[in-house]
Amino acid sequence: MRFEEVIGHDEAKLRLKAMVEGNHLPHALLFCGPMGCGKMALAMAFASYLLCQSHDADDDSCGKCLQCAMLRKWSHPDLHFTYPTIKPAGSSSDYKPVSDDFTREWHELLAGGPYFTIEQWLDKLGATTQQAIITVKESDEISHKLSMKSSQGGYKVSLIWYPERMNAESANKLLKLIEEPPSQTVFLLVSEAPDELLETIRSRTQRFNLRRIDTEAIEEALISRRGIDADSAHRIARLSGGSWVKALDALDSENESHQFLTDFMQMNRLSFMRDVRGLADWSTTVSNYGREKEKRLLAYFARMTRESFIYNFHQPDLSYMTMEEEQFVKKYAPYVNEANVIGLSELYTTAQYDIGRNANAKIVFFDVALQASVLLRRKLQ
């Protein structure tokens, strides 16, 4: 993978290259930033840069040497991936999963590109209620792999995704490795919650704090890489909030936001019709989503309420909606006004809290639907 494939973060790319060229490469780097900003993509591109035999005229991975050929399939013998795993159903109590047990699933995920989320990984694993972690046995595996001589005579790279998912024993073993790293070894830690890492690990890494991707960079990438027309690219880029993952989701007509919009439209249509039986059926349906998805649904309702209220001011630069959402809001916005916008927003926020506290989801959503139908009939005096 080449640096040019990473969207944005030009300054970070230059810093990483300068470390190598100036022989100031630290043995452990910590890439941090919000979801979808490309920290994993940058770490993977840097790993490729370190392992490439011959950089090109643009000072990037050449993409042609034997090392790059192996890296295209992420099968380089000196690049070791570590990631959270689960214990599959039916496993014995003594079984301690390690990353190598899920190599096939991991490579399937990487085949879709370097921008992905922990939720996508858990879905690939078939996880339901299991908590994905990095076990202490995994730390032993890392130690064993890095103790071996580099097969290609260059760097050995240990790329650890979500190191904050290590349990205490595993983290302490990693700390010892980072304190006394094997020769020619570079640790690349990619974290979304670095404050959950051991302070002693954080203090022994050089930290790269990545910001959200610039809207212009996402817009350009949508046009050049995905063939999106300029107007749609502009809308999606603004809506993505600096996340390439969200931008990609917006391209998928079957994505979660599309489903949430359908749910929102259905609830409001039934509310205006005063169809109590229909609202009860709707509540039953959405209450089967699972608590995390239910909270995201309510957050979406709150966002659509905000967007509908702002739409009334006819300031398009303040609105962040897809074309499909805007088509609905054109008709819905007049019902959201100063008399009910706060009440609606608090309704969805409170419901999120209740769901998080394990309240009965069916009752919560039925109550939301009934209260929303009352609030939407409030008009300014």
Side-chain angles (χ1 to χ4, degrees), residues 305-324:
T305 299
R306 179 253 181 209
E307 296 297 342
S308 298
F309 183 66
I310 294 297
Y311 188 83
N312 292 321
F313 293 94
H314 306 291
Q315 297 290 330
D317 289 343
L318 299 179
S319 296
Y320 296 81
M321 292 182 286
T322 64
M323 193 172 297
E324 185 182 22

Side-chain angles (χ1 to χ4, degrees), residues 2 46 88 102 136 158 178 207 233 246 276 291 329 336 353 381:
R2 294 162 54 81
F46 187 51
F102 300 91
V136 65
S158 176
I178 293 178
R207 185 161 170 168
K246 289 185 178 179
V276 177
R291 297 201 178 275
V329 166
V336 181
Y353 175 81
Q381 299 297 325

Side-chain angles (χ1 to χ4, degrees), residues 140-293:
D140 294 333
E141 287 286 310
I142 296 173
S143 179
H144 172 69
K145 291 175 181 177
L146 298 181
S147 66
M148 300 170 65
K149 186 177 180 180
S150 167
S151 68
Q152 303 297 304
Y155 287 107
K156 293 175 290 183
V157 180
S158 176
L159 202 164
I160 305 175
W161 185 55
Y162 270 82
E164 61 266 32
R165 295 249 177 169
M166 287 185 162
N167 58 31
E169 190 176 359
S170 180
N172 280 310
K173 286 195 173 185
L174 175 64
L175 173 61
K176 291 181 181 179
L177 276 174
I178 293 178
E179 287 178 329
E180 300 178 8
S183 176
Q184 287 290 93
T185 297
V186 179
F187 290 93
L188 305 179
L189 283 66
V190 182
S191 174
E192 206 148 291
D195 291 342
E196 295 179 12
L197 277 168
L198 289 178
E199 169 59 31
T200 44
I201 290 180
R202 295 202 305 271
S203 66
R204 285 164 175 77
T205 62
Q206 181 156 335
R207 185 161 170 168
F208 267 75
N209 288 314
L210 301 180
R211 297 175 297 178
R212 299 182 186 278
I213 306 172
D214 292 337
T215 301
E216 294 77 10
I218 292 181
E219 187 173 339
E220 181 183 341
L222 286 169
I223 295 172
S224 62
R225 302 185 186 196
R226 299 286 168 160
I228 306 301
D229 65 89
D231 180 63
S232 297
H234 181 68
R235 282 177 176 271
I236 293 171
R238 294 182 71 246
L239 189 64
S240 70
S243 168
W244 182 245
V245 171
K246 289 185 178 179
L248 293 179
D249 284 345
L251 295 177
D252 181 6
S253 62
E254 299 301 321
N255 64 51
E256 190 174 74
S257 293
H258 176 78
Q259 179 185 7
F260 287 172
L261 175 60
T262 301
D263 292 332
F264 189 62
M265 293 167 61
Q266 184 180 14
M267 183 194 76
N268 283 288
R269 183 171 61 253
L270 293 169
S271 295
F272 284 120
M273 293 170 58
R274 300 188 181 186
D275 186 348
V276 177
R277 183 181 295 276
L279 288 173
D281 293 339
W282 175 88
S283 303
T284 300
T285 299
V286 297
S287 66
N288 290 322
Y289 284 170
R291 297 201 178 275
E292 291 305 315
K293 186 174 180 179

